[in-house]
Amino acid sequence: QVQLVESGGELVQAGGSLRLSCAASVRTFSIYGMGWFRQAPGQEREFVAAIDWTYGNTYSSDSVKGRFTISRDKANNTVYLQMNSLKSEDTAVYYCAATRWRGGFRATHEYQYWGQGTQVTVSS
């Protein structure tokens, strides 16, 4: 099984920065990718960013491109999401996810493992 534990979410002012962390405990399965998704109240969960665990290729949504950066620490099985120039519309619960498939990394159905989420609130 894979357990994912997110941390780093908090209240921040618009224009500020936050770094989210997601620690993965991997027992028997290999991970091919990890991603960050977010869900605002009343909205569907949406893709934010993902990283190919093996090769380090990164992917991000147009709404965060240039502001958010995903990275990984393979030695510690941890993925990070550095969020800069935060806007009020970035307010959401952010979820970390892991997949054992190598695909597009952008769709929720591609991921088999999910964390509990961490709240990010951006005040304007």
Side-chain angles (χ1 to χ4, degrees), residues 43-108:
Q43 297 187 22
E44 294 187 352
R45 194 168 298 189
E46 66 171 357
F47 169 74
V48 176
I51 188 165
D52 184 310
W53 195 252
T54 302
Y55 299 110
N57 298 331
T58 61
Y59 312 85
S60 60
S61 68
D62 289 342
S63 62
V64 306
K65 199 162 292 184
R67 300 188 298 124
F68 292 10
T69 303
I70 188 170
S71 61
R72 74 195 190 305
D73 178 349
K74 295 181 72 175
N76 292 302
N77 286 338
T78 301
V79 65
Y80 303 98
L81 184 68
Q82 178 66 44
M83 306 186 294
N84 299 327
S85 302
L86 283 161
K87 306 175 182 179
S88 57
E89 50 262 46
D90 295 319
T91 295
V93 177
Y94 283 70
Y95 295 91
C96 174
T99 178
R100 295 167 49 218
W101 302 342
R102 178 168 286 114
F105 298 131
R106 294 176 180 267
T108 56

Side-chain angles (χ1 to χ4, degrees), residues 5-9 19-23 36 117-118:
V5 179
E6 304 103 330
S7 61
R19 189 175 81 155
L20 305 183
S21 301
C22 174
W36 288 97
T118 185

